[in-house]
Amino acid sequence: MEAFREESVVYQWIRHFQSTLPPSESDTGSERPSEADSYENIPKSMEQTLEDRERAGVPDAILLEDFNSEDAFIENLSKRYHENIIYTYIGQVLVSVNPYKELGIYGDKTVESYRNVNFYEVPPHVFAIAENSFRSMIGETNDQCILISGESGAGKTEASKHVLRFLAAASLHRSQVDKVRDRLLQSNPVLEAFGNAKTNRNDNSSRFGKYMDVEFNFKGDPVGGHILNYLLEKSRVVHQEQGERNFHIFYQLLAGASDERLERLRLERDPNAYFYLKQGKCCTVDSINDAKDYTVVEKALRTIDFTSEEEEAIWSIVSAILHLGNVSFTKNDQGHAQVVNKELTQHISELLGGEEKQVEKALTHRTIEARGDVVTSPLTPDQAAYARDALAKAVYERVFSWLVRRINQSLQSSEPGRKTLLGILDIYGFEIFDNNGFEQFCINFCNEKLQQVFIELTLKSEQEEYRKEGIEWEQVDYFNNKIICDLVEEKHKGIISLLDEECLRPGDTNDLTFLSKLNCHLVHHPHYFSYETSTDHKIKKQINPDEFRLRHYAGNVAYSVKSFIDKNNDLLFRDLKEAMAKVSNLVVKEVFPKEELTRKKRPDTAATQFKVSLANLVDILMCKEPSYIRCIKPNDYKRSYNFDRERVSHQVKYLGLMENVRVRRAGFAYRRVYPAFLNRYKSLCPATWPNYRGSPKEGVRLIAEHLKYNADDYRLGQTKLFIRLPRTLFKTEDALQVRKKELATMIQAKWKAFVARKRYLKMRESVTMIAKHWRRVTARRLLIKRRWAATVIRAFIKGFITRNDEVNEVNARFVQIVKCEFLMRLAQSLPKSVLDKRWPASPGSCVQASKELQKLHMAHLVRRYVRSMPPERKAQFEEKVLAEQLFRGKKSSYDSSLPHWFVNNRLTNEEENLRKTAFEDIIKTPGEKTQYCISCIKYDRHGYKPRERLLILTSAALYLLEGKENKLQLKHRLSLKEVQQLVVSPNSDNLLLIQIPPENAKKDKDVNSGSNKLKGDLILNVPNAIEAVTKIVSVSDNNEVLYIAESSSIGHNMSGGKTGTIILDKGAITSINKNKEGKLMVISGH
């Protein structure tokens, strides 16, 4: 059923011209679009991709000029593969080449781009096949199937996953639908875990064939499903080749299960501890995360509604198989088999819920019924090992089949009404190994049958299409492989029948007797030969004596007959069946029913079972409309960008792709419905451009006549145009590319004018609308603002009138404003300095606050000033404060000292040099620190004779020094503790009397005379007397030592113990002299 997208002419041509427009700045970093770009952007139709056919090949192999050339076909695949384009059509058959890397072409955006579009409107993709099948199923209510084939590692499993995912995305999201869809999707991880394994060709190889039917209701919603499985490779359970692994589930259980579960199952995490897992020496694979996959499987089991009892039963069975592989046997005294490690049989019995003795006996004995007699015979160690492996294979195969049945129960539809089916067949491709056995024989027989179906259905669909369109069908020559299928499956004559006869024949039968029977019966068959039947000596050298060869459609394959009889019989001793039928494990008990023990009929052989199931599969496929996905493996190394032509050529042969190309090209290479062809190429004919009002068929005829198609190059069917040769289509497409450039400017101009006018009209309408609403908004805002202003002014005036009243509702706001205004004005006129005493006047309501703020601000200024002072200045301030405490209001000269800072040294340069050289280094007592230095006049204590001296204050004493001839001589040293009192006058003179207690006077001896007599108090005339006294008091830390005379005279001790009097007076000029009475007269000037 064809579906078409309705588009306007302008939109259609814009899509066509997108690829021809110059790239934007953001596109200039890449020379050509990536694969992700080609899929994620607006999809190109098949005809559009022909523009790049020289670089990226053609999207459909039937468009190849030399369609009979396999080299041309492979070259086309190679071109596309190296451009990251992995999909190619052969008509409606999709060829997929495994890229071995992520291409980013399966995202949600890609899924949406392939939904509800015509098959040829988008590039080749697995989604296109799924969409075409889905739409045909819904539109025509016919059952569909998608056949996915290819060898291991070609990408079959991934393709089936993508088909399922697309079908899930295509349905509506309703709770019931989502539940079914989730179960369909979650069945994959379970079946992959139990049915896939790592091989040398593929890390996730499907070791079984799978056919899944998805049931849809009339709305197109998935409502159920059913799965069929074929030929599980159960031999892998007990043996793996070098570099391969057992089935994933064993490794997942060991890596992902909790420690508690492993302990309960008697397992340890190391896979190398189990014989069935370590034979391939490849227990871990970099590309596989077993622990994560185990979590996915557990979640999937819950989604499919497995009960916890069923889950535990499954894990117990998997564990029991691992333990079974470690069971070994040895000979007893009679040469019979006995179990070496009985602890393992105990674990197996516990896990399966059976009796240990019965399990052990079943592994070492065999019971045979012959003519009514029951005979139990012991087994040899080799026979016991065979029985052990047979049990492991049988249990695993039956559990796998039970899993499929259980999943089918979960997927069973309960919705009434008619349903349509869409089947997905993911089955092994043709296999040709160095050593091919029974499994390869069955797999290749399956591919012969499917190839037969493929050719029959393809020819049938081609003939049906030609008949519908009224075009004469031309006979197609092709290889009919029915002769090979008959060789294998024909009754009484085919290989399977001969194998069954040999298995049932009494007497000594083995693989070589089977080969002899084949040679005898098939010696004249054109597609069979062996070492015995071949007459060509060159061929004989290439065949082993235990091999036979079949000429398949894909080539000659040699099969070794080793183990054919054994694998076809697929025997499991009766004792083992009885032991399994008696266990309590709910799954094992179900797959080994007790009824099986009572059946007298011999079960069908493995080959016959496979032939019957394959015949049923063919019947299923023949009643459905098929679609095909052929998967190709580009190399054996799993590397991207590695295209091995020889390897690909081999797969092209056995997939029958060239046969398919020849069938599709036998008549006409290209066919297209009239509306689609007319819509794309109508610009090439003036009669059909830009709009054609007639019938699409007539329009296509006009285009063909205008392009001068030869009469034999095309046919006009009922609904489609048929073109015989690809070059005719290529010329048409090339002409379209030339025409595009001619029309591009016109379309761009029209489009730009349309867009500009549309934008202008919209802007003009928007401006008018905005202006109207804005005027309304501004008017409303102005009204609100005026009302607010009137209310504020009215409240202000009332507040002003009542401003002096008590605060009430009327004046509270005004008073608050007055306070705020005062604070703002105050903030702008605050004093900047401590000495600035200005302060703004405050209103009546803020008087008290103003006073408090003035105090706070002054404290702040003081604090800031104090914190900003350096330590030296701070010390000077402290001395000034001390001077204030000592002299303020007590001495007349205090006020004159205020403007001047106290200093630590008032010596001249010459005196300072003497102090540094003589005093500091020689005279000063060690440990003392000089605090103050000044020149002064000392008056003798017996005649008041003035003498120049240097007064130096240290941290511990007062020094009086005489400077002579550039030398300093110590005259007096008074410890600060020895000073009794410092006496000054209250006048403005500089008199300083230092009183010494009599008991300490003897210590102050004259350094020059050495006399010990009492010398009395020191009388000094010290410039800056206030400064000097403050320094002495500060250093001595004793304010009480200072005495300011309160009378007009001061008594003092003189030399020799006498006492004297100092007269204090005021006069015009400050002077200190001895008067006529012999007393010292101190006169302070005004």
Side-chain angles (χ1 to χ4, degrees):
M1 175 180 166
E2 303 284 353
F4 302 99
R5 183 181 284 172
E6 296 292 336
E7 301 174 311
S8 67
V9 174
V10 173
Y11 177 66
Q12 175 193 4
W13 278 104
I14 287 171
R15 288 181 56 201
H16 289 178
F17 292 143
Q18 273 194 333
S19 60
T20 63
L21 294 177
S24 63
E25 293 182 5
S26 60
D27 297 333
T28 57
S30 175
E31 295 180 1
R32 60 192 181 204
S34 66
E35 173 70 5
D37 293 335
S38 67
Y39 281 102
E40 293 294 350
N41 293 334
I42 296 176
K44 292 182 177 181
S45 67
M46 186 185 72
E47 291 87 347
Q48 285 177 288
T49 59
L50 294 177
E51 302 169 19
D52 301 326
R53 61 182 179 270
E54 293 300 325
R55 173 174 61 84
V58 295
D60 196 330
I62 63 175
L63 298 178
L64 291 170
E65 288 286 350
D66 190 1
F67 66 91
N68 284 309
S69 170
E70 182 181 304
D71 292 337
F73 180 81
I74 294 175
E75 175 63 23
N76 188 62
L77 291 180
S78 177
K79 281 182 179 180
R80 295 175 68 77
Y81 178 76
H82 286 99
E83 291 294 324
N84 284 334
I85 307 175
I86 63 173
Y87 294 120
T88 306
Y89 286 141
I90 305 175
Q92 289 191 327
V93 175
L94 181 69
V95 179
S96 170
V97 184
N98 193 338
Y100 288 117
K101 66 174 185 177
E102 289 291 336
L103 293 178
I105 60 173
Y106 304 104
D108 294 338
K109 190 174 181 182
T110 308
V111 170
E112 286 302 315
S113 68
Y114 278 86
R115 290 186 59 188
N116 302 314
V117 295
N118 183 269
F119 186 73
Y120 287 108
E121 287 185 15
V122 285
H125 200 288
V126 65
F127 292 164
I129 294 290
E131 169 68 14
N132 192 53
S133 298
F134 181 72
R135 292 300 156 198
S136 297
M137 178 192 68
I138 299 301
E140 301 173 8
T141 63
N142 288 334
D143 293 345
Q144 303 284 320
C145 64
I146 298 175
L147 281 66
I148 306 172
S149 61
E151 70 170 52
S152 178
K156 302 187 298 298
T157 302
E158 288 301 311
S160 65
K161 287 181 184 177
H162 292 314
V163 170
L164 265 180
R165 179 169 169 267
F166 183 87
L167 295 177
S171 61
L172 298 175
H173 291 274
R174 293 195 297 269
S175 58
Q176 187 61 31
V177 173
D178 287 344
K179 187 176 181 180
V180 174
R181 181 172 58 237
D182 290 343
R183 289 179 179 177
L184 285 169
L185 295 176
Q186 291 301 320
S187 65
N188 262 330
V190 176
L191 293 178
E192 281 189 19
F194 285 87
N196 289 25
K198 191 266 182 193
T199 67
N200 288 321
R201 295 187 173 189
N202 184 4
D203 290 348
N204 188 32
S205 175
S206 297
R207 308 316 300 161
F208 71 104
K210 179 180 72 172
Y211 176 78
M212 173 185 283
D213 263 331
V214 184
E215 297 180 359
F216 293 86
N217 61 15
F218 71 96
K219 301 175 185 176
D221 298 332
V223 294
H226 187 80
I227 298 172
L228 298 175
N229 63 296
Y230 303 94
L231 198 65
L232 177 71
E233 189 190 14
K234 60 184 178 181
S235 60
R236 181 170 293 273
V237 175
V238 300
H239 176 72
Q240 306 93 42
E241 297 294 335
Q242 186 77 13
E244 297 192 351
R245 297 205 314 176
N246 209 322
F247 292 103
H248 293 323
I249 191 62
F250 295 107
Y251 307 93
Q252 291 172 3
L253 175 60
L254 297 181
S258 64
D259 294 336
E260 294 78 8
R261 171 163 281 175
L262 291 182
E263 183 179 357
R264 189 166 60 253
L265 299 175
R266 301 289 194 273
L267 295 176
E268 51 184 283
R269 291 212 182 269
D270 185 10
N272 289 301
Y274 301 98
F275 176 71
Y276 281 167
L277 302 185
K278 65 181 181 181
Q279 298 173 61
K281 297 181 180 179
C282 183
C283 289
T284 58
V285 183
D286 293 338
S287 61
I288 298 175
N289 187 336
D290 291 315
K292 181 180 177 182
D293 291 343
Y294 172 81
T295 306
V296 173
V297 171
E298 277 201 319
K299 179 183 177 183
L301 290 174
R302 288 191 293 271
T303 302
I304 306 172
D305 284 345
F306 276 65
T307 65
S308 57
E309 292 78 10
E310 289 172 331
E311 288 187 40
E312 285 301 323
I314 291 171
W315 300 131
S316 296
I317 294 169
V318 174
S319 307
I321 292 174
L322 290 179
H323 290 307
L324 187 60
N326 285 357
V327 175
S328 56
F329 305 92
T330 186
K331 291 182 180 180
N332 59 14
D333 296 339
Q334 290 78 31
H336 302 151
Q338 65 179 16
V339 176
V340 175
N341 36 6
K342 294 189 177 183
E343 183 183 354
L344 293 175
T345 57
Q346 181 184 352
H347 293 340
I348 295 169
S349 302
E350 291 175 357
L351 291 169
L352 298 181
E355 295 183 7
E356 179 184 355
K357 290 183 179 180
Q358 186 173 11
V359 172
E360 184 178 337
K361 182 181 178 182
L363 289 172
T364 56
H365 292 76
R366 180 183 183 185
T367 300
I368 302 174
E369 287 189 24
R371 298 178 182 178
D373 296 331
V374 177
V375 179
T376 301
S377 59
L379 303 176
T380 65
D382 290 340
Q383 291 172 333
Y386 172 83
R388 175 201 64 193
D389 292 345
L391 177 61
K393 292 187 290 183
V395 170
Y396 194 84
E397 181 188 34
R398 296 189 185 201
V399 169
F400 185 79
S401 298
W402 177 86
L403 273 173
V404 174
R405 292 195 301 273
R406 182 66 181 79
I407 291 172
N408 287 337
Q409 291 176 13
S410 175
L411 296 177
Q412 188 171 3
S413 172
S414 59
E415 185 172 320
R418 188 182 184 282
K419 304 176 186 68
T420 51
L421 302 177
L422 195 155
I424 302 170
L425 177 64
D426 174 8
I427 201 161
Y428 12 67
F430 207 92
E431 291 188 351
I432 304 177
F433 298 146
D434 294 334
N435 184 20
N436 301 291
F438 180 76
E439 289 84 0
Q440 282 68 47
F441 173 76
C442 293
I443 289 171
N444 293 343
F445 167 53
C446 174
N447 277 270
E448 288 286 357
K449 291 290 289 182
L450 292 178
Q451 178 69 7
Q452 186 181 21
V453 173
F454 174 66
I455 295 296
E456 287 182 9
L457 291 178
T458 302
L459 285 174
K460 180 180 177 182
S461 64
E462 284 288 292
Q463 290 175 332
E464 181 67 19
E465 185 174 20
Y466 278 52
R467 185 190 64 77
K468 285 182 179 179
E469 295 295 326
I471 295 176
E472 183 181 353
W473 171 254
E474 300 175 7
Q475 191 59 38
V476 178
D477 295 328
Y478 66 94
F479 172 69
N480 189 342
N481 65 339
K482 184 177 185 301
I483 186 172
I484 303 174
C485 295
D486 291 342
L487 170 63
V488 176
E489 67 177 348
E490 190 175 8
K491 274 190 176 184
H492 310 302
K493 296 180 182 180
I495 294 175
I496 292 178
S497 294
L498 296 174
L499 178 59
D500 287 350
E501 286 180 15
E502 193 65 15
C503 290
L504 296 174
R505 183 175 65 83
D508 186 16
T509 60
N510 55 46
D511 297 322
L512 293 179
T513 62
F514 164 62
L515 181 59
S516 297
K517 178 171 263 187
L518 290 180
N519 293 334
C520 179
H521 286 76
L522 304 175
V523 61
H524 300 299
H525 198 287
H527 288 271
Y528 172 89
F529 62 98
S530 66
Y531 184 85
E532 295 294 333
T533 63
S534 178
T535 58
D536 190 331
H537 292 289
K538 290 183 178 179
I539 294 179
K540 267 194 170 186
K541 291 180 181 179
Q542 301 172 2
I543 305 176
N544 294 325
D546 63 344
E547 289 181 348
F548 68 90
R549 288 197 178 186
L550 298 182
R551 290 187 176 94
H552 289 282
Y553 76 92
N556 297 339
V557 182
Y559 298 100
S560 172
V561 295
K562 182 180 179 181
S563 300
F564 258 63
I565 296 293
D566 185 30
K567 292 180 179 179
N568 190 47
N569 276 324
D570 195 20
L571 290 178
L572 184 65
F573 295 154
R574 178 184 179 86
D575 304 76
L576 294 172
K577 290 182 180 179
E578 288 181 356
M580 293 299 102
K582 292 179 180 180
V583 300
S584 61
N585 184 290
L586 60 91
V587 177
V588 176
K589 188 165 56 174
E590 183 177 340
V591 298
F592 284 93
K594 292 182 179 180
E595 295 78 12
E596 184 179 350
L597 301 175
T598 60
R599 292 174 191 159
K600 299 299 181 182
K601 183 182 177 182
R602 180 186 177 94
D604 289 339
T605 61
T608 299
Q609 291 179 33
F610 183 67
K611 182 179 75 171
V612 171
S613 62
L614 188 57
N616 293 333
L617 175 63
V618 170
D619 291 341
I620 291 172
L621 298 179
M622 291 298 288
C623 66
K624 290 180 169 63
E625 292 187 13
S627 299
Y628 302 93
I629 300 176
R630 303 300 204 191
C631 300
I632 289 179
K633 184 178 183 178
N635 60 77
D636 287 328
Y637 311 107
K638 307 171 189 173
R639 296 176 186 164
S640 58
Y641 292 113
N642 187 335
F643 193 87
D644 186 340
R645 291 175 181 270
E646 184 177 348
R647 189 79 181 79
V648 173
S649 174
H650 176 67
Q651 296 171 78
V652 168
K653 284 186 179 71
Y654 71 64
L655 287 172
L657 298 183
M658 295 307 300
E659 204 74 31
N660 185 249
V661 173
R662 283 190 283 271
V663 169
R664 290 283 297 181
R665 277 292 300 270
F668 295 87
Y670 174 82
R671 64 212 65 182
R672 202 75 158 111
V673 292
Y674 292 131
F677 188 87
L678 176 64
N679 201 32
R680 179 166 181 80
Y681 296 110
K682 62 183 177 181
S683 64
L684 299 179
C685 176
T688 58
W689 177 258
N691 294 306
Y692 182 70
R693 305 299 181 186
S695 68
K697 183 176 181 179
E698 181 63 21
V700 171
R701 186 188 63 77
L702 292 173
I703 294 173
E705 291 176 355
H706 181 77
L707 295 176
K708 298 180 181 179
Y709 285 180
N710 292 327
D712 293 335
D713 288 347
Y714 75 100
R715 292 286 186 277
L716 296 176
Q718 298 295 329
T719 62
K720 294 181 182 178
L721 166 70
F722 289 75
I723 296 179
R724 186 179 300 277
L725 300 176
R727 65 170 172 266
T728 304
L729 176 64
F730 294 161
K731 288 180 181 178
T732 306
E733 185 64 28
D734 292 341
L736 177 63
Q737 302 308 315
V738 174
R739 180 62 172 161
K740 277 183 181 181
K741 295 176 183 178
E742 297 173 358
L743 297 174
T745 304
M746 179 189 72
I747 294 175
Q748 287 179 347
K750 292 290 185 182
W751 176 252
K752 288 178 180 178
F754 169 74
V755 171
R757 177 161 182 79
K758 186 176 180 181
R759 184 185 297 115
Y760 164 73
L761 292 175
K762 190 172 182 178
M763 289 174 62
R764 188 175 69 177
E765 181 183 356
S766 300
V767 167
T768 304
M769 182 67 69
I770 292 171
K772 178 179 70 174
H773 284 281
W774 180 247
R775 285 193 295 270
R776 178 175 177 272
V777 169
T778 53
R780 180 177 289 275
R781 286 181 179 177
L782 182 60
L783 175 61
I784 293 172
K785 192 172 182 180
R786 285 177 175 175
R787 286 177 177 173
W788 172 83
T791 303
V792 171
I793 293 172
R794 186 182 298 111
F796 183 84
I797 294 173
K798 288 182 178 180
F800 176 76
I801 295 171
T802 60
R803 64 185 180 280
N804 294 322
D805 297 346
E806 290 294 328
V807 177
N808 51 49
E809 292 182 359
V810 176
N811 64 4
R813 177 66 178 166
F814 181 84
V815 171
Q816 188 68 27
I817 293 173
V818 169
K819 290 180 179 180
C820 291
E821 179 63 27
F822 167 69
L823 291 176
M824 293 175 63
R825 183 162 42 84
L826 179 62
Q828 300 298 324
S829 58
L830 286 172
K832 307 295 183 184
S833 168
V834 178
L835 301 178
D836 187 358
K837 302 301 181 180
R838 293 178 296 104
W839 190 258
S842 61
S845 59
C846 300
V847 172
Q848 187 62 32
S850 177
K851 292 179 180 179
E852 295 297 327
L853 288 174
Q854 186 175 11
K855 292 179 182 178
L856 290 174
H857 184 66
M858 183 56 65
H860 165 70
L861 291 177
V862 170
R863 184 171 180 271
R864 187 176 66 180
Y865 181 76
V866 170
R867 293 186 67 177
S868 64
M869 285 192 300
E872 297 82 5
R873 181 65 73 189
K874 187 175 181 181
Q876 289 177 326
F877 258 107
E878 289 175 350
E879 290 174 349
K880 282 289 186 178
V881 172
L882 180 60
E884 180 188 20
Q885 295 173 359
L886 298 176
F887 298 106
R888 185 177 181 182
K890 300 177 182 179
K891 188 168 175 67
S892 301
S893 60
Y894 169 73
D895 293 338
S896 61
S897 69
L898 282 176
H900 308 291
W901 290 106
F902 294 166
V903 297
N904 293 331
N905 194 330
R906 292 191 178 275
L907 300 180
T908 63
N909 292 337
E910 182 180 353
E911 291 170 343
E912 177 62 16
N913 291 334
L914 283 175
R915 183 189 70 79
K916 288 180 179 179
T917 55
F919 179 75
E920 294 292 339
D921 297 338
I922 301 172
I923 300 173
K924 187 176 72 172
T925 302
E928 295 181 0
K929 182 178 179 181
T930 302
Q931 301 290 341
Y932 182 66
C933 307
I934 192 170
S935 300
C936 65
I937 297 175
K938 179 222 173 189
Y939 294 92
D940 289 343
R941 287 170 284 191
H942 55 275
Y944 301 122
K945 185 177 181 180
R947 301 181 187 275
E948 292 185 358
R949 295 286 186 267
L950 298 181
L951 177 64
I952 297 178
L953 171 66
T954 68
S955 56
L958 277 171
Y959 290 85
L960 209 58
L961 307 172
E962 180 183 10
K964 280 186 179 180
E965 300 175 0
N966 293 327
K967 292 182 180 180
L968 277 182
Q969 183 177 359
L970 177 62
K971 293 307 234 173
H972 300 278
R973 180 185 182 281
L974 296 176
S975 172
L976 293 178
K977 295 180 181 179
E978 296 174 356
V979 176
Q980 180 181 4
Q981 205 168 40
L982 298 175
V983 182
V984 297
S985 75
N987 302 324
S988 58
D989 54 63
N990 294 321
L991 175 68
L992 173 61
L993 175 64
I994 301 175
Q995 294 183 344
I996 303 171
E999 60 272 15
N1000 294 330
K1002 291 182 179 181
K1003 297 179 183 178
D1004 181 29
K1005 68 178 182 178
D1006 192 324
V1007 177
N1008 296 324
S1009 64
S1011 172
N1012 287 327
K1013 65 181 181 178
L1014 294 175
K1015 300 183 67 176
D1017 300 330
L1018 288 176
I1019 303 173
L1020 304 176
N1021 184 8
V1022 183
N1024 304 97
I1026 292 177
E1027 176 185 88
V1029 172
T1030 302
K1031 292 280 187 181
I1032 295 171
V1033 172
S1034 176
V1035 172
S1036 65
D1037 194 20
N1038 183 11
N1039 293 8
E1040 302 299 328
V1041 75
L1042 175 65
Y1043 173 72
I1044 299 176
E1046 298 178 352
S1047 59
S1048 58
S1049 63
I1050 302 172
H1052 67 90
N1053 295 322
M1054 297 182 65
S1055 178
K1058 298 179 181 179
T1059 60
T1061 303
I1062 300 175
I1063 304 299
L1064 304 176
D1065 200 358
K1066 297 179 180 180
I1069 300 174
T1070 301
S1071 62
I1072 300 178
N1073 296 305
K1074 185 178 179 181
N1075 62 10
K1076 295 179 180 180
E1077 297 175 357
K1079 298 179 181 178
L1080 187 65
M1081 177 67 71
V1082 178
I1083 299 175
S1084 61
H1086 294 295

